[in-house]
Amino acid sequence: MERIDVIAKIKDSMSGLSKGHKSIAAYILENRDKAAFMTAAALGSAVDVSESTVVRFAAEMGYEGYPQMQKALQASIRGRLTNVQRMELATSKMGEENILKSVIHADIEKLRQTAETLDNDDFLRAVEAIAKAKKIYVLGARSCSSLTSFLGFYLNLIFKDVKTISTSSDSETFEQIFRVGEGDAVIAISFPRYSSRTVKAVSYASSNGADVVAITDSMDSPIIPYATHSLIARSDMSYFADSLVAPLSIINAIIMALAIKNEKAVRDTFDKLENIWDKYEVYEKHE
């Protein structure tokens, strides 16, 4: 099923549902943003039906089980949640107890899911596109700008022509990428809530013939239609603060793969940099 079908299916099925299933359907339609993150038991409690009734409702909607329907519901609201809604969801999921362990365990789970689902051949093709590019652009806005800066910093140590797009203005973004074209690579990083500026920029880059490497959370991401290569990193929309551990791990892997492909040049670069760092006392020395 496509992500839009879960809501359409529920609406279309309303008239033929049993009383209990109709209550579940009505609750989901009225509280989609909240229902998408509720367990089967919690959803059943909210509408005064049993957990097994919720599971049967998911099967009636055409899903193998409740987790599959929940995943479709979450996909249907991707990018829609406001920060207030995300704060409410995070509070309801965690409360005030064991926040440290809850967040760490959730991040570990996102890393595990990313490792299991990301295809290594897709990763290697993306690395090759970056390695052979005439010029590399690194693009990401708002919370993703931290990842952009991190990746841009290391790519500049490996390649001679790297441009990190760092601005909050649409017009200035296009001024920095207007020369992008065939033979160039644009690494675009975008996670919910998706920045419209990033979407516009990758659309422009794609129309000019550049390779676009998308690092994002889902094949439903708005930058995917413009991507030549897609690297999917799991994230959690229900946190107030964006969890970016999975995309950062992919970025670390990209940096390592590119450094290995350009090992001699990277070694020469760091030999020169070590002399500069020593001469100008860039780092503190511990005897």
Side-chain angles (χ1 to χ4, degrees):
M1 285 191 176
E2 298 297 330
R3 67 185 178 95
I4 59 173
D5 285 349
V6 60
I7 297 302
K9 179 67 174 178
I10 291 173
K11 289 179 178 178
D12 292 344
S13 304
M14 279 292 283
S15 60
L17 295 177
S18 66
K19 182 180 178 181
H21 285 184
K22 191 170 290 187
S23 297
I24 297 169
Y27 185 87
I28 291 174
L29 293 176
E30 293 172 8
N31 305 275
R32 190 197 321 185
D33 296 343
K34 183 177 181 181
F37 296 96
M38 297 174 75
T39 63
L43 180 53
S45 178
V47 297
D48 199 24
V49 300
S50 67
E51 180 178 354
S52 60
T53 300
V54 175
V55 174
R56 287 194 294 272
F57 172 79
E60 186 163 342
M61 291 302 105
Y63 294 94
E64 293 181 4
Y66 179 76
Q68 287 72 34
M69 187 182 77
Q70 184 184 47
K71 184 178 179 180
L73 283 169
Q74 290 177 0
S76 76
I77 64 169
R78 195 172 300 278
R80 284 182 23 164
L81 293 180
T82 66
N83 281 351
V84 172
Q85 290 171 317
R86 292 170 74 176
M87 187 67 185
E88 290 173 350
L89 283 169
T91 302
S92 66
K93 287 172 69 174
M94 292 186 182
E96 296 181 0
E97 301 295 328
N98 295 320
I99 291 176
L100 176 61
K101 288 186 178 179
S102 295
V103 171
I104 290 174
H105 289 160
D107 283 345
I108 290 171
E109 177 62 17
K110 285 186 278 291
L111 286 168
R112 184 190 66 78
Q113 292 174 356
T114 299
E116 288 182 353
T117 57
L118 186 59
D119 185 80
N120 189 58
D121 289 339
D122 290 340
F123 171 78
L124 293 176
R125 283 190 286 268
V127 168
E128 184 61 30
I130 298 167
K132 70 180 184 182
K134 292 187 298 185
K135 184 167 185 173
I136 302 168
Y137 296 82
V138 187
L139 174 68
R142 303 186 66 79
S143 62
C144 293
S145 62
S146 58
L147 297 179
T148 302
S149 298
F150 181 85
L151 178 56
F153 174 82
Y154 282 100
L155 289 183
N156 269 299
L157 297 178
I158 302 172
F159 300 102
K160 293 180 179 179
D161 205 349
V162 177
K163 190 173 186 64
T164 302
I165 310 304
S166 54
T167 175
S168 59
S169 163
D170 279 355
S171 61
E172 290 182 7
T173 296
F174 284 102
E175 287 164 7
Q176 293 186 52
I177 68 168
F178 81 96
R179 289 191 177 91
V180 68
E182 292 186 14
D184 296 332
V186 176
I187 306 173
I189 306 170
S190 184
F191 287 81
R193 299 160 73 184
Y194 307 108
S195 165
S196 59
R197 180 156 49 89
T198 301
V199 177
K200 294 173 186 175
V202 295
S203 172
Y204 174 78
S206 176
S207 68
N208 280 15
D211 279 333
V212 175
V213 176
I215 302 176
T216 189
D217 68 312
S218 164
M219 293 304 291
D220 295 314
S221 167
I223 67 172
I224 288 295
Y226 310 106
T228 316
H229 307 280
S230 304
L231 302 176
I232 305 301
R234 300 301 178 185
S235 68
D236 194 335
M237 295 174 293
S238 63
Y239 287 156
F240 165 67
D242 297 328
S243 176
L244 299 175
V245 292
L248 180 58
S249 188
I250 289 177
I251 286 169
N252 279 332
I254 290 172
I255 293 167
M256 182 60 67
L258 290 170
I260 291 172
K261 286 179 73 68
N262 297 272
E263 184 175 1
K264 184 180 184 307
V266 172
R267 284 179 179 274
D268 290 344
T269 295
F270 277 107
D271 281 340
K272 293 175 183 177
L273 284 174
E274 287 293 347
N275 291 329
I276 294 171
W277 292 336
D278 283 345
K279 181 177 180 179
Y280 294 100
E281 300 179 342
V282 172
Y283 294 111
E284 286 290 326
K285 290 186 177 181
H286 298 281
E287 299 299 336

